[in-house]
Amino acid sequence: MGFKSILTVVTDPATAEASVTAAARLALGCDAHLDVLALGVDQAQLGYSYIGAGAVLSEYALEEAETEARAAARAAEAALGEMDPALRWGLDTAVAEMGGLTAVIGNAASFVDVVVQARPYGSGQSYRAEAAVEAALFEGRSPVLIVPVGIAGNAAMLASLAAPKRVLLAWNQSSEALAAAKAALPLLKLAELVDVTVVDPPARGPERSDPGGLLCQYLVRHGIKAQVSVLAKTLPKVSEVLARHARDEGCDMMVMGAYGHSRLREAVLGGATRAVLESAEIPVLMAH
């Protein structure tokens, strides 16, 4: 069992190199096919307009979106041109209205094993990057591998995508975390060690006497070398504890559940998903 179909969505030429290069290296390592979707976004959401003005605005917005899509496609092709000729890939160019963005991406993500996207937060990133990640997770029901924007120039990180050595698997007994663990199995089986990391486990619950034990047993039965680390929340955020542990253990990938709370709550109040993605130094595979 492995990844055989991989997707990356390019909405910004500036991040195309990161997502396309990472997705291509993963595809080569897994002997998978890579689909690239270059997407322009029509942002004309007209509530009302004067007679004749709406048509002009709509036409202008559509032209802008088509220009964006072509620029994204050119950036993707440039990155693909640097890849091993053995890579199997296809490139589609599309335009979507802002309101239909999730449907377009969700449909494409529904029929692949994993979606690879550049980190959606940080300087220069737009709302479209975040929308692409959420559409893949919620509409496409696909795991998403988030990679740092500078990954294209990091040979060691690229090499670890298809064969990570040490993986931090964040575990909080949630259905999201379990979905992420199962989605990541093809990569976990190749790792030298998977560290099931539990931060501040609850005093009550089915795993109170053995936090992470059942998950560790499940992984071992799949032939995965795994261990459990139970950590105290010694920093203000769980994401900070996970990031520090990943650095201390030399992990080259993190696996975790995404959006245990609603997206609105995380957008307004913050949450572990957003906090991890804002500061992730290594690739993070997420599932909902």
Side-chain angles (χ1 to χ4, degrees):
M1 183 176 82
F3 299 143
K4 291 304 175 185
S5 186
I6 297 171
L7 169 71
T8 186
V9 181
V10 180
T11 59
D12 184 350
T15 60
E17 184 181 23
S19 60
V20 173
T21 301
R25 289 295 293 270
L26 180 60
L28 285 166
C30 297
D31 190 27
H33 185 279
L34 171 62
D35 291 311
V36 181
L37 176 60
L39 192 60
V41 182
D42 181 351
Q43 302 181 61
Q45 304 291 322
L46 300 177
Y48 69 92
S49 66
Y50 293 102
I51 295 175
V56 173
L57 289 172
S58 296
E59 183 178 353
Y60 175 76
L62 180 59
E63 290 177 354
E64 286 290 299
E66 290 175 348
T67 300
E68 287 179 357
R70 287 192 290 269
R74 287 194 297 271
E77 286 178 329
L80 289 165
E82 299 296 320
M83 293 296 107
D84 188 321
L87 175 68
R88 304 191 305 277
W89 59 273
L91 172 64
D92 287 324
T93 305
V95 170
E97 293 182 353
M98 189 58 202
L101 183 63
T102 57
V104 172
I105 296 175
N107 183 66
S110 295
F111 302 99
V112 299
D113 297 314
V114 66
V115 179
V116 180
Q117 294 297 123
R119 194 171 72 186
Y121 303 111
S123 60
Q125 284 285 38
S126 70
Y127 63 90
R128 289 173 292 188
E130 184 177 0
V133 171
E134 292 187 354
L137 285 169
F138 288 90
E139 302 297 325
R141 296 293 176 180
S142 228
V144 179
L145 180 62
I146 305 295
V147 297
V149 174
I151 191 173
N154 190 323
M157 189 177 291
L158 285 171
S160 70
L161 285 176
K165 293 182 179 180
R166 297 178 73 94
V167 179
L168 187 156
L169 200 171
W171 179 243
N172 62 357
Q173 303 180 41
S174 69
S175 58
E176 292 83 10
L178 183 57
K182 290 184 175 181
L185 280 177
L187 296 178
L188 300 183
K189 289 180 178 180
L190 299 174
E192 294 177 1
L193 179 67
V194 175
D195 190 310
V196 177
T197 305
V198 186
V199 180
D200 243 3
R204 295 183 177 84
E207 294 190 0
R208 62 186 180 278
S209 62
D210 186 19
L214 289 175
L215 177 60
C216 188
Q217 175 183 273
Y218 170 77
L219 297 176
V220 170
R221 286 176 177 174
H222 275 275
I224 296 167
K225 185 178 180 181
Q227 67 180 25
V228 178
S229 295
V230 180
L231 309 177
K233 188 183 175 185
T234 54
L235 294 170
K237 297 180 180 180
V238 171
S239 61
E240 294 172 337
V241 178
L242 294 174
R244 182 178 64 185
H245 188 61
R247 286 193 297 269
D248 291 346
E249 295 299 313
C251 296
D252 44 22
M253 183 175 290
M254 186 184 299
V255 174
M256 65 180 290
Y259 296 102
H261 299 295
S262 72
R263 285 172 284 177
L264 178 60
R265 174 176 173 177
E266 292 225 0
V268 175
L269 301 177
T273 305
R274 187 182 184 98
V276 167
L277 292 185
E278 284 177 341
S279 57
E281 299 173 354
I282 57 176
V284 180
L285 191 144
M286 293 184 159
H288 181 76

mmCIF file with all atom_site columns, all heavy atoms in Angstrom, residues 30-53:
data_model
loop_
_atom_site.group_PDB
_atom_site.id
_atom_site.type_symbol
_atom_site.label_atom_id
_atom_site.label_alt_id
_atom_site.label_comp_id
_atom_site.label_asym_id
_atom_site.label_entity_id
_atom_site.label_seq_id
_atom_site.pdbx_PDB_ins_code
_atom_site.Cartn_x
_atom_site.Cartn_y
_atom_site.Cartn_z
_atom_site.occupancy
_atom_site.B_iso_or_equiv
_atom_site.pdbx_formal_charge
_atom_site.auth_seq_id
_atom_site.auth_comp_id
_atom_site.auth_asym_id
_atom_site.auth_atom_id
_atom_site.pdbx_PDB_model_num
ATOM 1   N N   . CYS A 1 30 ? 7.701   7.427  -4.637  1.00 0.00 ? 30 CYS A N   1
ATOM 2   C CA  . CYS A 1 30 ? 6.614   6.448  -4.463  1.00 0.00 ? 30 CYS A CA  1
ATOM 3   C C   . CYS A 1 30 ? 6.212   5.781  -5.763  1.00 0.00 ? 30 CYS A C   1
ATOM 4   O O   . CYS A 1 30 ? 5.265   4.983  -5.776  1.00 0.00 ? 30 CYS A O   1
ATOM 5   C CB  . CYS A 1 30 ? 5.391   7.142  -3.854  1.00 0.00 ? 30 CYS A CB  1
ATOM 6   S SG  . CYS A 1 30 ? 5.641   7.820  -2.221  1.00 0.00 ? 30 CYS A SG  1
ATOM 7   N N   . ASP A 1 31 ? 6.879   6.124  -6.857  1.00 0.00 ? 31 ASP A N   1
ATOM 8   C CA  . ASP A 1 31 ? 6.482   5.642  -8.182  1.00 0.00 ? 31 ASP A CA  1
ATOM 9   C C   . ASP A 1 31 ? 5.017   5.980  -8.445  1.00 0.00 ? 31 ASP A C   1
ATOM 10  O O   . ASP A 1 31 ? 4.223   5.134  -8.844  1.00 0.00 ? 31 ASP A O   1
ATOM 11  C CB  . ASP A 1 31 ? 6.717   4.137  -8.307  1.00 0.00 ? 31 ASP A CB  1
ATOM 12  C CG  . ASP A 1 31 ? 6.545   3.642  -9.744  1.00 0.00 ? 31 ASP A CG  1
ATOM 13  O OD1 . ASP A 1 31 ? 6.748   4.454  -10.675 1.00 0.00 ? 31 ASP A OD1 1
ATOM 14  O OD2 . ASP A 1 31 ? 6.185   2.460  -9.933  1.00 0.00 ? 31 ASP A OD2 1
ATOM 15  N N   . ALA A 1 32 ? 4.671   7.243  -8.202  1.00 0.00 ? 32 ALA A N   1
ATOM 16  C CA  . ALA A 1 32 ? 3.288   7.701  -8.320  1.00 0.00 ? 32 ALA A CA  1
ATOM 17  C C   . ALA A 1 32 ? 3.148   8.674  -9.484  1.00 0.00 ? 32 ALA A C   1
ATOM 18  O O   . ALA A 1 32 ? 4.131   9.193  -10.022 1.00 0.00 ? 32 ALA A O   1
ATOM 19  C CB  . ALA A 1 32 ? 2.841   8.370  -7.019  1.00 0.00 ? 32 ALA A CB  1
ATOM 20  N N   . HIS A 1 33 ? 1.909   8.927  -9.861  1.00 0.00 ? 33 HIS A N   1
ATOM 21  C CA  . HIS A 1 33 ? 1.607   9.918  -10.888 1.00 0.00 ? 33 HIS A CA  1
ATOM 22  C C   . HIS A 1 33 ? 1.291   11.239 -10.210 1.00 0.00 ? 33 HIS A C   1
ATOM 23  O O   . HIS A 1 33 ? 0.580   11.276 -9.195  1.00 0.00 ? 33 HIS A O   1
ATOM 24  C CB  . HIS A 1 33 ? 0.408   9.479  -11.733 1.00 0.00 ? 33 HIS A CB  1
ATOM 25  C CG  . HIS A 1 33 ? 0.120   10.393 -12.885 1.00 0.00 ? 33 HIS A CG  1
ATOM 26  N ND1 . HIS A 1 33 ? -0.577  11.570 -12.749 1.00 0.00 ? 33 HIS A ND1 1
ATOM 27  C CD2 . HIS A 1 33 ? 0.444   10.308 -14.205 1.00 0.00 ? 33 HIS A CD2 1
ATOM 28  C CE1 . HIS A 1 33 ? -0.669  12.159 -13.920 1.00 0.00 ? 33 HIS A CE1 1
ATOM 29  N NE2 . HIS A 1 33 ? -0.049  11.424 -14.817 1.00 0.00 ? 33 HIS A NE2 1
ATOM 30  N N   . LEU A 1 34 ? 1.803   12.342 -10.762 1.00 0.00 ? 34 LEU A N   1
ATOM 31  C CA  . LEU A 1 34 ? 1.577   13.670 -10.199 1.00 0.00 ? 34 LEU A CA  1
ATOM 32  C C   . LEU A 1 34 ? 0.620   14.464 -11.089 1.00 0.00 ? 34 LEU A C   1
ATOM 33  O O   . LEU A 1 34 ? 0.842   14.608 -12.294 1.00 0.00 ? 34 LEU A O   1
ATOM 34  C CB  . LEU A 1 34 ? 2.897   14.438 -10.081 1.00 0.00 ? 34 LEU A CB  1
ATOM 35  C CG  . LEU A 1 34 ? 2.784   15.924 -9.701  1.00 0.00 ? 34 LEU A CG  1
ATOM 36  C CD1 . LEU A 1 34 ? 2.140   16.086 -8.326  1.00 0.00 ? 34 LEU A CD1 1
ATOM 37  C CD2 . LEU A 1 34 ? 4.158   16.585 -9.736  1.00 0.00 ? 34 LEU A CD2 1
ATOM 38  N N   . ASP A 1 35 ? -0.440  14.974 -10.484 1.00 0.00 ? 35 ASP A N   1
ATOM 39  C CA  . ASP A 1 35 ? -1.358  15.898 -11.151 1.00 0.00 ? 35 ASP A CA  1
ATOM 40  C C   . ASP A 1 35 ? -1.125  17.296 -10.601 1.00 0.00 ? 35 ASP A C   1
ATOM 41  O O   . ASP A 1 35 ? -1.106  17.490 -9.379  1.00 0.00 ? 35 ASP A O   1
ATOM 42  C CB  . ASP A 1 35 ? -2.816  15.500 -10.902 1.00 0.00 ? 35 ASP A CB  1
ATOM 43  C CG  . ASP A 1 35 ? -3.188  14.200 -11.604 1.00 0.00 ? 35 ASP A CG  1
ATOM 44  O OD1 . ASP A 1 35 ? -2.900  14.090 -12.803 1.00 0.00 ? 35 ASP A OD1 1
ATOM 45  O OD2 . ASP A 1 35 ? -3.749  13.312 -10.938 1.00 0.00 ? 35 ASP A OD2 1
ATOM 46  N N   . VAL A 1 36 ? -0.971  18.250 -11.496 1.00 0.00 ? 36 VAL A N   1
ATOM 47  C CA  . VAL A 1 36 ? -0.795  19.650 -11.102 1.00 0.00 ? 36 VAL A CA  1
ATOM 48  C C   . VAL A 1 36 ? -1.978  20.446 -11.622 1.00 0.00 ? 36 VAL A C   1
ATOM 49  O O   . VAL A 1 36 ? -2.309  20.380 -12.810 1.00 0.00 ? 36 VAL A O   1
ATOM 50  C CB  . VAL A 1 36 ? 0.520   20.234 -11.665 1.00 0.00 ? 36 VAL A CB  1
ATOM 51  C CG1 . VAL A 1 36 ? 0.686   21.686 -11.220 1.00 0.00 ? 36 VAL A CG1 1
ATOM 52  C CG2 . VAL A 1 36 ? 1.719   19.398 -11.224 1.00 0.00 ? 36 VAL A CG2 1
ATOM 53  N N   . LEU A 1 37 ? -2.624  21.186 -10.737 1.00 0.00 ? 37 LEU A N   1
ATOM 54  C CA  . LEU A 1 37 ? -3.749  22.037 -11.112 1.00 0.00 ? 37 LEU A CA  1
ATOM 55  C C   . LEU A 1 37 ? -3.337  23.494 -10.934 1.00 0.00 ? 37 LEU A C   1
ATOM 56  O O   . LEU A 1 37 ? -3.120  23.953 -9.814  1.00 0.00 ? 37 LEU A O   1
ATOM 57  C CB  . LEU A 1 37 ? -4.977  21.728 -10.245 1.00 0.00 ? 37 LEU A CB  1
ATOM 58  C CG  . LEU A 1 37 ? -6.210  22.615 -10.466 1.00 0.00 ? 37 LEU A CG  1
ATOM 59  C CD1 . LEU A 1 37 ? -6.709  22.502 -11.907 1.00 0.00 ? 37 LEU A CD1 1
ATOM 60  C CD2 . LEU A 1 37 ? -7.315  22.248 -9.481  1.00 0.00 ? 37 LEU A CD2 1
ATOM 61  N N   . ALA A 1 38 ? -3.184  24.211 -12.051 1.00 0.00 ? 38 ALA A N   1
ATOM 62  C CA  . ALA A 1 38 ? -2.871  25.645 -12.029 1.00 0.00 ? 38 ALA A CA  1
ATOM 63  C C   . ALA A 1 38 ? -4.194  26.396 -12.041 1.00 0.00 ? 38 ALA A C   1
ATOM 64  O O   . ALA A 1 38 ? -4.973  26.283 -12.993 1.00 0.00 ? 38 ALA A O   1
ATOM 65  C CB  . ALA A 1 38 ? -2.015  26.021 -13.230 1.00 0.00 ? 38 ALA A CB  1
ATOM 66  N N   . LEU A 1 39 ? -4.445  27.151 -10.987 1.00 0.00 ? 39 LEU A N   1
ATOM 67  C CA  . LEU A 1 39 ? -5.783  27.704 -10.779 1.00 0.00 ? 39 LEU A CA  1
ATOM 68  C C   . LEU A 1 39 ? -5.767  29.217 -10.647 1.00 0.00 ? 39 LEU A C   1
ATOM 69  O O   . LEU A 1 39 ? -5.005  29.785 -9.860  1.00 0.00 ? 39 LEU A O   1
ATOM 70  C CB  . LEU A 1 39 ? -6.373  27.085 -9.503  1.00 0.00 ? 39 LEU A CB  1
ATOM 71  C CG  . LEU A 1 39 ? -7.853  27.279 -9.222  1.00 0.00 ? 39 LEU A CG  1
ATOM 72  C CD1 . LEU A 1 39 ? -8.707  26.688 -10.345 1.00 0.00 ? 39 LEU A CD1 1
ATOM 73  C CD2 . LEU A 1 39 ? -8.219  26.632 -7.895  1.00 0.00 ? 39 LEU A CD2 1
ATOM 74  N N   . GLY A 1 40 ? -6.608  29.869 -11.450 1.00 0.00 ? 40 GLY A N   1
ATOM 75  C CA  . GLY A 1 40 ? -6.847  31.299 -11.308 1.00 0.00 ? 40 GLY A CA  1
ATOM 76  C C   . GLY A 1 40 ? -8.184  31.523 -10.638 1.00 0.00 ? 40 GLY A C   1
ATOM 77  O O   . GLY A 1 40 ? -9.112  30.731 -10.835 1.00 0.00 ? 40 GLY A O   1
ATOM 78  N N   . VAL A 1 41 ? -8.305  32.570 -9.834  1.00 0.00 ? 41 VAL A N   1
ATOM 79  C CA  . VAL A 1 41 ? -9.521  32.799 -9.058  1.00 0.00 ? 41 VAL A CA  1
ATOM 80  C C   . VAL A 1 41 ? -10.221 34.069 -9.529  1.00 0.00 ? 41 VAL A C   1
ATOM 81  O O   . VAL A 1 41 ? -9.632  35.154 -9.522  1.00 0.00 ? 41 VAL A O   1
ATOM 82  C CB  . VAL A 1 41 ? -9.212  32.903 -7.553  1.00 0.00 ? 41 VAL A CB  1
ATOM 83  C CG1 . VAL A 1 41 ? -10.506 33.100 -6.758  1.00 0.00 ? 41 VAL A CG1 1
ATOM 84  C CG2 . VAL A 1 41 ? -8.492  31.651 -7.072  1.00 0.00 ? 41 VAL A CG2 1
ATOM 85  N N   . ASP A 1 42 ? -11.465 33.905 -9.953  1.00 0.00 ? 42 ASP A N   1
ATOM 86  C CA  . ASP A 1 42 ? -12.308 35.031 -10.346 1.00 0.00 ? 42 ASP A CA  1
ATOM 87  C C   . ASP A 1 42 ? -12.925 35.604 -9.072  1.00 0.00 ? 42 ASP A C   1
ATOM 88  O O   . ASP A 1 42 ? -13.772 34.985 -8.436  1.00 0.00 ? 42 ASP A O   1
ATOM 89  C CB  . ASP A 1 42 ? -13.405 34.541 -11.297 1.00 0.00 ? 42 ASP A CB  1
ATOM 90  C CG  . ASP A 1 42 ? -14.321 35.671 -11.770 1.00 0.00 ? 42 ASP A CG  1
ATOM 91  O OD1 . ASP A 1 42 ? -14.220 36.787 -11.236 1.00 0.00 ? 42 ASP A OD1 1
ATOM 92  O OD2 . ASP A 1 42 ? -15.144 35.411 -12.664 1.00 0.00 ? 42 ASP A OD2 1
ATOM 93  N N   . GLN A 1 43 ? -12.491 36.799 -8.693  1.00 0.00 ? 43 GLN A N   1
ATOM 94  C CA  . GLN A 1 43 ? -12.904 37.370 -7.417  1.00 0.00 ? 43 GLN A CA  1
ATOM 95  C C   . GLN A 1 43 ? -14.100 38.308 -7.530  1.00 0.00 ? 43 GLN A C   1
ATOM 96  O O   . GLN A 1 43 ? -14.452 38.982 -6.563  1.00 0.00 ? 43 GLN A O   1
ATOM 97  C CB  . GLN A 1 43 ? -11.731 38.134 -6.788  1.00 0.00 ? 43 GLN A CB  1
ATOM 98  C CG  . GLN A 1 43 ? -10.511 37.254 -6.567  1.00 0.00 ? 43 GLN A CG  1
ATOM 99  C CD  . GLN A 1 43 ? -9.377  38.007 -5.916  1.00 0.00 ? 43 GLN A CD  1
ATOM 100 O OE1 . GLN A 1 43 ? -9.508  38.511 -4.811  1.00 0.00 ? 43 GLN A OE1 1
ATOM 101 N NE2 . GLN A 1 43 ? -8.256  38.107 -6.618  1.00 0.00 ? 43 GLN A NE2 1
ATOM 102 N N   . ALA A 1 44 ? -14.727 38.365 -8.679  1.00 0.00 ? 44 ALA A N   1
ATOM 103 C CA  . ALA A 1 44 ? -15.871 39.274 -8.868  1.00 0.00 ? 44 ALA A CA  1
ATOM 104 C C   . ALA A 1 44 ? -17.110 38.671 -8.210  1.00 0.00 ? 44 ALA A C   1
ATOM 105 O O   . ALA A 1 44 ? -17.798 37.840 -8.784  1.00 0.00 ? 44 ALA A O   1
ATOM 106 C CB  . ALA A 1 44 ? -16.120 39.509 -10.356 1.00 0.00 ? 44 ALA A CB  1
ATOM 107 N N   . GLN A 1 45 ? -17.384 39.074 -6.999  1.00 0.00 ? 45 GLN A N   1
ATOM 108 C CA  . GLN A 1 45 ? -18.582 38.630 -6.281  1.00 0.00 ? 45 GLN A CA  1
ATOM 109 C C   . GLN A 1 45 ? -19.528 39.833 -6.226  1.00 0.00 ? 45 GLN A C   1
ATOM 110 O O   . GLN A 1 45 ? -19.561 40.578 -5.259  1.00 0.00 ? 45 GLN A O   1
ATOM 111 C CB  . GLN A 1 45 ? -18.213 38.160 -4.866  1.00 0.00 ? 45 GLN A CB  1
ATOM 112 C CG  . GLN A 1 45 ? -17.162 37.070 -4.840  1.00 0.00 ? 45 GLN A CG  1
ATOM 113 C CD  . GLN A 1 45 ? -17.685 35.752 -5.383  1.00 0.00 ? 45 GLN A CD  1
ATOM 114 O OE1 . GLN A 1 45 ? -18.826 35.388 -5.142  1.00 0.00 ? 45 GLN A OE1 1
ATOM 115 N NE2 . GLN A 1 45 ? -16.845 35.041 -6.122  1.00 0.00 ? 45 GLN A NE2 1
ATOM 116 N N   . LEU A 1 46 ? -20.279 40.027 -7.280  1.00 0.00 ? 46 LEU A N   1
ATOM 117 C CA  . LEU A 1 46 ? -21.079 41.233 -7.417  1.00 0.00 ? 46 LEU A CA  1
ATOM 118 C C   . LEU A 1 46 ? -22.388 41.128 -6.649  1.00 0.00 ? 46 LEU A C   1
ATOM 119 O O   . LEU A 1 46 ? -23.257 40.325 -6.979  1.00 0.00 ? 46 LEU A O   1
ATOM 120 C CB  . LEU A 1 46 ? -21.374 41.507 -8.898  1.00 0.00 ? 46 LEU A CB  1
ATOM 121 C CG  . LEU A 1 46 ? -20.141 41.714 -9.789  1.00 0.00 ? 46 LEU A CG  1
ATOM 122 C CD1 . LEU A 1 46 ? -20.580 41.904 -11.226 1.00 0.00 ? 46 LEU A CD1 1
ATOM 123 C CD2 . LEU A 1 46 ? -19.325 42.898 -9.322  1.00 0.00 ? 46 LEU A CD2 1
ATOM 124 N N   . GLY A 1 47 ? -22.532 41.939 -5.620  1.00 0.00 ? 47 GLY A N   1
ATOM 125 C CA  . GLY A 1 47 ? -23.801 41.995 -4.900  1.00 0.00 ? 47 GLY A CA  1
ATOM 126 C C   . GLY A 1 47 ? -24.815 42.797 -5.690  1.00 0.00 ? 47 GLY A C   1
ATOM 127 O O   . GLY A 1 47 ? -25.988 42.451 -5.792  1.00 0.00 ? 47 GLY A O   1
ATOM 128 N N   . TYR A 1 48 ? -24.384 43.918 -6.286  1.00 0.00 ? 48 TYR A N   1
ATOM 129 C CA  . TYR A 1 48 ? -25.234 44.724 -7.143  1.00 0.00 ? 48 TYR A CA  1
ATOM 130 C C   . TYR A 1 48 ? -24.319 45.572 -8.021  1.00 0.00 ? 48 TYR A C   1
ATOM 131 O O   . TYR A 1 48 ? -23.124 45.704 -7.758  1.00 0.00 ? 48 TYR A O   1
ATOM 132 C CB  . TYR A 1 48 ? -26.154 45.635 -6.318  1.00 0.00 ? 48 TYR A CB  1
ATOM 133 C CG  . TYR A 1 48 ? -25.415 46.744 -5.603  1.00 0.00 ? 48 TYR A CG  1
ATOM 134 C CD1 . TYR A 1 48 ? -25.242 47.993 -6.202  1.00 0.00 ? 48 TYR A CD1 1
ATOM 135 C CD2 . TYR A 1 48 ? -24.881 46.541 -4.332  1.00 0.00 ? 48 TYR A CD2 1
ATOM 136 C CE1 . TYR A 1 48 ? -24.555 49.001 -5.557  1.00 0.00 ? 48 TYR A CE1 1
ATOM 137 C CE2 . TYR A 1 48 ? -24.196 47.541 -3.682  1.00 0.00 ? 48 TYR A CE2 1
ATOM 138 C CZ  . TYR A 1 48 ? -24.038 48.773 -4.296  1.00 0.00 ? 48 TYR A CZ  1
ATOM 139 O OH  . TYR A 1 48 ? -23.360 49.771 -3.651  1.00 0.00 ? 48 TYR A OH  1
ATOM 140 N N   . SER A 1 49 ? -24.854 46.135 -9.069  1.00 0.00 ? 49 SER A N   1
ATOM 141 C CA  . SER A 1 49 ? -24.074 47.020 -9.932  1.00 0.00 ? 49 SER A CA  1
ATOM 142 C C   . SER A 1 49 ? -25.035 47.858 -10.753 1.00 0.00 ? 49 SER A C   1
ATOM 143 O O   . SER A 1 49 ? -26.229 47.559 -10.867 1.00 0.00 ? 49 SER A O   1
ATOM 144 C CB  . SER A 1 49 ? -23.169 46.206 -10.870 1.00 0.00 ? 49 SER A CB  1
ATOM 145 O OG  . SER A 1 49 ? -23.951 45.452 -11.775 1.00 0.00 ? 49 SER A OG  1
ATOM 146 N N   . TYR A 1 50 ? -24.519 48.958 -11.307 1.00 0.00 ? 50 TYR A N   1
ATOM 147 C CA  . TYR A 1 50 ? -25.315 49.761 -12.216 1.00 0.00 ? 50 TYR A CA  1
ATOM 148 C C   . TYR A 1 50 ? -25.478 49.018 -13.541 1.00 0.00 ? 50 TYR A C   1
ATOM 149 O O   . TYR A 1 50 ? -24.703 48.130 -13.873 1.00 0.00 ? 50 TYR A O   1
ATOM 150 C CB  . TYR A 1 50 ? -24.655 51.121 -12.456 1.00 0.00 ? 50 TYR A CB  1
ATOM 151 C CG  . TYR A 1 50 ? -24.637 51.981 -11.225 1.00 0.00 ? 50 TYR A CG  1
ATOM 152 C CD1 . TYR A 1 50 ? -23.483 52.129 -10.472 1.00 0.00 ? 50 TYR A CD1 1
ATOM 153 C CD2 . TYR A 1 50 ? -25.796 52.642 -10.807 1.00 0.00 ? 50 TYR A CD2 1
ATOM 154 C CE1 . TYR A 1 50 ? -23.472 52.909 -9.327  1.00 0.00 ? 50 TYR A CE1 1
ATOM 155 C CE2 . TYR A 1 50 ? -25.796 53.423 -9.667  1.00 0.00 ? 50 TYR A CE2 1
ATOM 156 C CZ  . TYR A 1 50 ? -24.631 53.557 -8.937  1.00 0.00 ? 50 TYR A CZ  1
ATOM 157 O OH  . TYR A 1 50 ? -24.621 54.328 -7.794  1.00 0.00 ? 50 TYR A OH  1
ATOM 158 N N   . ILE A 1 51 ? -26.489 49.365 -14.282 1.00 0.00 ? 51 ILE A N   1
ATOM 159 C CA  . ILE A 1 51 ? -26.765 48.684 -15.549 1.00 0.00 ? 51 ILE A CA  1
ATOM 160 C C   . ILE A 1 51 ? -25.528 48.742 -16.443 1.00 0.00 ? 51 ILE A C   1
ATOM 161 O O   . ILE A 1 51 ? -24.975 49.814 -16.706 1.00 0.00 ? 51 ILE A O   1
ATOM 162 C CB  . ILE A 1 51 ? -27.975 49.333 -16.254 1.00 0.00 ? 51 ILE A CB  1
ATOM 163 C CG1 . ILE A 1 51 ? -29.242 49.105 -15.403 1.00 0.00 ? 51 ILE A CG1 1
ATOM 164 C CG2 . ILE A 1 51 ? -28.153 48.755 -17.653 1.00 0.00 ? 51 ILE A CG2 1
ATOM 165 C CD1 . ILE A 1 51 ? -30.463 49.814 -15.955 1.00 0.00 ? 51 ILE A CD1 1
ATOM 166 N N   . GLY A 1 52 ? -25.121 47.605 -16.904 1.00 0.00 ? 52 GLY A N   1
ATOM 167 C CA  . GLY A 1 52 ? -23.968 47.534 -17.802 1.00 0.00 ? 52 GLY A CA  1
ATOM 168 C C   . GLY A 1 52 ? -22.647 47.388 -17.092 1.00 0.00 ? 52 GLY A C   1
ATOM 169 O O   . GLY A 1 52 ? -21.694 46.836 -17.643 1.00 0.00 ? 52 GLY A O   1
ATOM 170 N N   . ALA A 1 53 ? -22.552 47.893 -15.846 1.00 0.00 ? 53 ALA A N   1
ATOM 171 C CA  . ALA A 1 53 ? -21.271 47.867 -15.141 1.00 0.00 ? 53 ALA A CA  1
ATOM 172 C C   . ALA A 1 53 ? -20.896 46.447 -14.729 1.00 0.00 ? 53 ALA A C   1
ATOM 173 O O   . ALA A 1 53 ? -19.727 46.063 -14.762 1.00 0.00 ? 53 ALA A O   1
ATOM 174 C CB  . ALA A 1 53 ? -21.325 48.768 -13.911 1.00 0.00 ? 53 ALA A CB  1
#
